[in-house]
Amino acid sequence: IAVVFILAALFSMLTLLPSATSSSGGVPVGAAAPEFTLPTYGGGGSGMIDLHALRGHPVLLNFWSESCPPCRVEMPFLERTYRQYAAHGEFTLLGIDQADPKEDIAPFGKDFQITYPLLFDPGGKVNAAYGVTAIPTTYFIDSDGIVRAVFVTQLSPRTMRQGLASVGIGIP
């Protein structure tokens, strides 16, 4: 019975740890990030965001939804990280909404005081291209457009440091 308990505990631990690689169906680490152009509906900026135009700078893609409790908890952490590092040109942070009405994105961004662009994915094509099956999911893409880390979990300071390090950015 002790063996069953140990195996159950090990299985639980492995399934609950944050994933630093893509889940099945996602874009694998080392592959080119699928390109897209999406409209900004909240947060900072306006107009269309073209991922290809951001080449030369690391990019973090955070897939989220306003109905996702871990996403709501993660948003203030992402905003603090953005203000401290990305707002000075270290990297670009983009929030890609998953399935919320586009009219809800701007009020959500205001409520959470988000200053990085919150993008609307009409029809979920970008979510599908990235194989997003759980949220929050964050892709760390290097300046050459290659996926270097994926976390299918709410980011923590540790996972943020790991992801940023994978694209060549060191933070304390």
Side-chain angles (χ1 to χ4, degrees):
I1 210 152
V3 171
V4 171
F5 177 75
I6 291 171
L7 289 174
L10 181 62
F11 177 76
S12 295
M13 186 174 73
L14 290 175
T15 59
L16 295 176
L17 287 175
S19 171
T21 60
S22 63
S23 61
S24 64
V27 179
V29 170
E35 297 193 8
F36 62 82
T37 301
L38 290 176
T40 303
Y41 270 82
S46 61
M48 303 294 281
I49 300 282
D50 179 356
L51 183 64
H52 184 76
L54 298 174
R55 286 275 171 91
H57 295 76
V59 176
L60 278 64
L61 298 182
N62 177 257
F63 292 88
W64 65 281
S65 172
E66 66 179 331
S67 62
C68 160
C71 300
R72 297 174 75 88
V73 170
E74 181 181 62
M75 285 287 190
F77 171 68
L78 291 173
E79 178 61 24
R80 282 191 309 275
T81 303
Y82 176 76
R83 286 184 188 209
Q84 190 168 359
Y85 301 103
H88 305 292
E90 293 277 339
F91 59 88
T92 299
L93 172 59
L94 303 173
I96 301 179
D97 182 72
Q98 186 183 58
D100 293 318
K102 63 184 176 186
E103 298 80 21
D104 292 353
I105 297 172
F108 180 87
K110 282 186 180 180
D111 289 348
F112 281 82
Q113 300 177 329
I114 302 300
T115 59
Y116 58 87
L118 297 177
L119 310 180
F120 178 62
D121 182 13
K125 292 177 182 168
V126 175
N127 277 269
Y130 280 84
V132 176
T133 58
I135 50 174
T137 292
T138 305
Y139 279 83
F140 290 79
I141 302 167
D142 72 13
S143 58
D144 295 321
I146 305 299
V147 173
R148 295 299 176 194
V150 183
F151 292 95
V152 184
T153 187
Q154 178 183 324
L155 291 177
S156 67
R158 181 181 60 82
T159 54
M160 179 63 84
R161 279 191 304 276
Q162 287 175 329
L164 288 174
S166 75
V167 296
I169 298 170
I171 64 172

